[in-house]
Amino acid sequence: MKAKHQRLILGLLALAAIGGASGLALSALRDQAAFFYTPSDLATKAPQPGKAVRLGGMVQAGSIKKLADGITISFIVADNGGTVPVRFTGVAPDLFKENSGVVAEGKFEADGSFTADNLLAKHDERYMPPEIADKMPAPGNMGR
Amino acid sequence: MIAEAGLAALWFAAALALLQLVAAALGLRLHSSASGNDLIAAVRPVAIVQGLLAALSFALLITLFVQSDMSVLLVAQNSHSAKPMLYKVAGAWGNHEGSMLLWVTVLALSGGAIALLERQLDRATLTATLGAQAAIALGFYAFLLIASNPFTRLDPPALDGLGLNPLLQDPGLAFHPPTLYFGYVGLSVAFSFAVGAMLTGVVGPAFARAMRPWVLAAWVFLTIGITAGSYWAYYELGWGGWWFWDPVENASLMPWLAATALLHSVNVLAARDGLRAWTLMLAVVAFSMSMLGTFLVRSGILTSVHAFAVDPTRGSFILVLLALYIGGALLLFALRAGTIRAGQGFDPLSREGGLVLNNLLLTVILGIVLIGTLYPIVAQAMGEQLSVGPPFFNKTAGPIALLLVAAMAVGPLLKWRRDNANAVLGKLTVPVAAAMLAMAATFVLAPGTGWMEIVALGLAAGLTIASFAPLWKRNLLRTPLFTWGMVIAHFGVAVSLAGMAMDSAFTKERLVAATYGQPYQVGPWRVVLDGVGPAIGDNWSAIEGRVTARRDDGPAILLRPQRRFYASPPTDTAEAAIRTRWDGQLYAVLGEQDAQGRWQLRLWWKPFVTLIWFGGGLIALGGALSLFGRLFRERRNARRREEAE
């Protein structure tokens, strides 16, 4: 094989590999991407119950309650367009608190409530998720 | 005065970077004349002084933090007089402005180091390299001086500072950003070398040997940074996981993947003079990935549990720099790649062929991570909000990573130039048998284990044997240090992979509302919450659980998970308690108390999870051994050449 041909074959192989990777990634994205919802999204696009999604919003003041089993909490995620009741079984992350941003990973139930397997809060107390920042009024304690 | 002196040093350093760029460009243009020679001769000393001035500026910033000078805005926002000294110093780079100053300082110092130490490159390529280095530095100086001056005064001064985010107050994390930046900046040096070589058109083994130590060093620092970051997230965030596929984690993984590919292709270029254009391309890609990483972390464009400052101006500034550097380098590559002559050819079944396969697979993984990380931004621009999480990455990058591990086992057993298929199969008998045995054992002993974990454990066993095969029948004392480096690094991958598979397959988890004295079983451990009491530290107070755990009739071990309260800034953090045994870690997190007085207690038994980071350490150690091995050999060769003359 001539060096020139080999170069060509290598180039084509590289293109095919990268094209294959992009195809694989994009097809996986179509069904694997956990779609992101905010409470106000629910009026316009309702997710299927049971599908893995992320729900983002602010934890409503006074809504965090402990349930009788001692390990489950319930709270309300809100933005300025709606509210969703959420249940989470586990130890909440450090910066999970009322009036701060949260992203809950889990699924919607048939009754419109949300069961979270995982809660994401921020490292930084001055943070609000960008996805919901533009949907919120600007409360004083959000800063920056 | 210190702040003003720091700012002045920064301005002088920026001016010298401009001078360095102009002198290099003009000097190369006029290279045949006497004035051109004078200009080229000036580039080296200017680069050294520029590095020293940037370092002075950074040293002055650290001084301000050590003195808790609250008349400086940055100190007031990110420090507190009552903080332990380590975190006062680390506070200097634990924020946006300081970390960018650290970035440019490391960049300028490494430019100075090239100017001082580099003896192999031809004069024109070295001058072009230092010019490119100055161009990169100039962008960052402009960024600091225009958009994020770290020395801005606060008038009137604050009474005291706001403090450093308590989650960052951890010895490991204090050194985490500098470690990653050393990696990023090492790649910027490789990038400058590539730009220099593209401008002068001289690409060959000598160029590869000059670039290799920088790539190796960058790769070692990135490996340490990623490993340490993973362990930090594991013990500090209290969620029991070690990798999140978070955009900020991906931001450090992507340069590492590109650097790993570059590291292997630069070896082909140095040893066999092959893969010339591809190596240059990878050097451009690797640095693009570190710039992209900086952009993702610093712009706040992504939703991340790690992302810090959210400031659109700064984001667009870095984006412009990103476009300038990457666009410029790609344009240069497009214009010059055709003029780079093809190197040596090789047979597909050869060490070169194996390294090409390694490069292809790494590139594919890099592409997948890049798409998964950037897709949400593109979707958001098109009005759809979504996030891409672990299920995506595990399903796409996971299988390809396993394929890469299989290729890794075969590659080092191949000969350069061309090899014989039967001979290769013969060498693979033992590793393949080991892999089969491990898979069968897992299948029988731990029924119900997922196929990815079974394959991973088999590959880990096979790779372990195959990694050491290059040492077979060799005099171990005479084996070069860089061969040892490769063996240890590849073995480290096997160790890490085994740890990941075992953690994923065999972890036991328990979440309870614990009453005092009541035993709970998690894996082989019986765990009892004996009580909860107060505890106090330098700048925090806490409630602390006393948890005893006992396995079979073994001795009781005590764990003290805490919920800490930091006064400044006011923050609660959970400090997990972790006890390491030879066969795994017991991990406890204390939650909140409920109305009946029960405490939330989350427990994990994670068999062999420590192998993940131990393997990461081995990988970095292997890289370091290779680096020293190469440097010693280069030095010895240089001495011999001198003696011969």
Side-chain angles (χ1 to χ4, degrees), chain B residues 202-531:
Chain B
V202 185
V203 186
F207 163 77
R209 281 201 299 273
M211 181 157 102
R212 181 159 56 191
W214 293 95
V215 180
L216 262 170
W219 185 79
V220 168
F221 278 115
L222 284 177
T223 308
I224 295 173
I226 292 172
T227 308
S230 157
Y231 193 62
W232 171 79
Y234 169 81
Y235 74 75
E236 182 69 36
L237 299 184
W239 58 297
W242 49 270
W243 193 258
F244 202 71
W245 291 110
D246 179 275
V248 171
E249 292 172 348
N250 293 347
S252 64
L253 180 66
M254 289 189 289
W256 186 86
L257 288 167
T260 310
L262 177 59
L263 185 62
H264 290 90
S265 83
V266 90
N267 277 331
V268 177
L269 186 55
R272 307 290 322 166
D273 197 14
L275 303 185
R276 290 176 168 184
W278 175 249
T279 302
L280 292 181
M281 183 71 198
L282 274 182
V284 172
V285 169
F287 179 59
S288 308
M289 289 302 139
S290 23
M291 283 291 292
L292 185 69
T294 312
F295 168 67
L296 291 178
V297 177
R298 290 291 152 205
S299 67
I301 195 169
L302 283 170
T303 310
S304 158
V305 283
H306 302 272
F308 294 94
V310 179
D311 182 341
T313 344
R314 290 168 179 169
S316 24
F317 205 119
I318 305 184
L319 194 61
V320 169
L321 285 184
L322 191 73
L324 275 179
Y325 295 151
I326 314 308
L330 289 179
L331 184 69
L332 192 62
F333 184 81
L335 293 175
R336 306 294 297 210
T339 65
I340 293 159
R341 291 191 309 113
Q344 300 289 324
F346 52 85
D347 199 72
L349 184 70
S350 64
R351 180 76 72 87
E352 289 97 323
L355 289 167
V356 166
L357 181 64
N358 144 306
N359 269 235
L360 279 180
L361 290 173
L362 279 167
T363 314
V364 168
I365 297 175
L366 175 60
I368 289 176
V369 177
L370 186 65
I371 291 174
T373 309
L374 296 185
Y375 190 73
I377 304 179
V378 178
Q380 193 165 15
M382 286 167 13
E384 191 175 12
Q385 299 213 321
L386 56 86
S387 45
V388 177
F392 165 78
F393 292 103
N394 291 344
K395 283 211 170 152
T396 51
I400 298 171
L402 292 181
L403 212 59
L404 178 66
V405 173
M408 241 175 101
V410 184
L413 303 178
L414 298 172
K415 289 189 181 129
W416 289 105
R417 290 300 299 275
R418 87 173 25 188
D419 207 336
N420 175 298
N422 286 331
V424 176
L425 287 178
K427 286 186 207 164
L428 283 175
T429 326
V430 182
V432 169
M436 293 295 177
L437 207 67
M439 286 198 269
T442 313
F443 191 73
V444 173
L445 295 178
T449 308
W451 74 266
M452 283 252 286
E453 283 87 358
I454 292 184
V455 172
L457 285 170
L459 282 174
L463 179 59
T464 301
I465 307 278
S467 307
F468 286 99
L471 297 178
W472 181 247
K473 286 185 181 165
R474 274 181 95 144
N475 180 336
L476 294 185
L477 289 176
R478 289 223 176 147
T479 305
L481 211 48
F482 49 78
T483 306
W484 275 105
M486 177 190 76
V487 166
I488 289 174
H490 283 192
F491 173 57
V493 173
V495 170
S496 242
L497 181 67
M500 292 170 193
M502 284 195 264
D503 174 57
S504 157
F506 307 134
T507 291
K508 296 278 182 287
E509 183 183 351
R510 191 85 193 266
L511 174 69
V512 292
T515 42
Y516 296 145
Q518 168 80 36
Y520 302 97
Q521 194 78 23
V522 54
W525 296 90
R526 270 163 67 87
V527 180
V528 179
L529 178 65
D530 291 327

Side-chain angles (χ1 to χ4, degrees), chain A residues 1 3 6-7 10 13-15 17-18 20-22 24-26 28-29 32-38 41 45 54 66-73 88-95 97 103 105 117-118 120-132 134-135 144, chain B residues 77-78 162 165 167 232 236-237 244 277 300 302-309 340-342 345-348 356 360 363-364 368 371 375 380 384-392 395-396 400 511-513 563 569 571-574 589-594 596 598 600 602:
Chain A
M1 210 172 352
Q6 192 169 3
R7 259 189 146 188
L10 274 179
L13 210 67
L15 275 183
I18 291 164
S22 317
L24 184 70
L26 289 175
L29 273 175
Q32 289 297 332
F35 282 85
F36 187 90
Y37 291 89
T38 58
D41 285 341
K45 54 165 188 180
R54 287 183 180 172
K66 294 189 179 96
L67 302 190
D69 67 357
I71 50 177
T72 304
I73 55 171
F88 170 68
T89 303
V91 176
D94 297 331
L95 296 175
K97 54 187 176 227
V103 174
E105 293 184 327
D117 317 315
N118 198 9
L120 313 178
K122 270 298 278 203
H123 289 182
D124 192 320
E125 77 284 2
R126 292 175 285 213
Y127 163 83
M128 167 147 68
E131 284 123 322
I132 52 175
D134 52 344
K135 298 203 169 151
R144 293 251 271 223
Chain B
Q77 276 175 348
N78 295 287
L162 294 173
N165 182 348
L167 284 167
W232 171 79
E236 182 69 36
L237 299 184
F244 202 71
L302 283 170
T303 310
S304 158
V305 283
H306 302 272
F308 294 94
I340 293 159
R341 291 191 309 113
F346 52 85
D347 199 72
V356 166
L360 279 180
T363 314
V364 168
I368 289 176
I371 291 174
Y375 190 73
Q380 193 165 15
E384 191 175 12
Q385 299 213 321
L386 56 86
S387 45
V388 177
F392 165 78
K395 283 211 170 152
T396 51
I400 298 171
L511 174 69
V512 292
R563 295 191 70 80
T571 316
D572 299 313
T573 71
V589 181
L590 187 67
E592 290 178 353
Q593 194 174 24
D594 70 3
Q596 290 97 327
R598 298 175 298 180
Q600 272 189 327
R602 191 161 196 182

Side-chain angles (χ1 to χ4, degrees), chain A residues 46-112:
Chain A
Q48 286 171 341
K51 190 182 161 217
V53 294
R54 287 183 180 172
L55 170 73
M58 307 299 279
V59 181
Q60 199 170 68
S63 73
I64 302 181
K65 299 209 167 50
K66 294 189 179 96
L67 302 190
D69 67 357
I71 50 177
T72 304
I73 55 171
S74 74
F75 56 95
I76 291 172
V77 169
D79 61 1
N80 52 2
T83 58
V84 177
V86 178
R87 284 162 72 101
F88 170 68
T89 303
V91 176
D94 297 331
L95 296 175
F96 173 79
K97 54 187 176 227
E98 291 174 351
N99 276 327
S100 69
V102 69
V103 174
E105 293 184 327
K107 57 184 194 290
F108 282 96
E109 305 295 343
D111 64 359

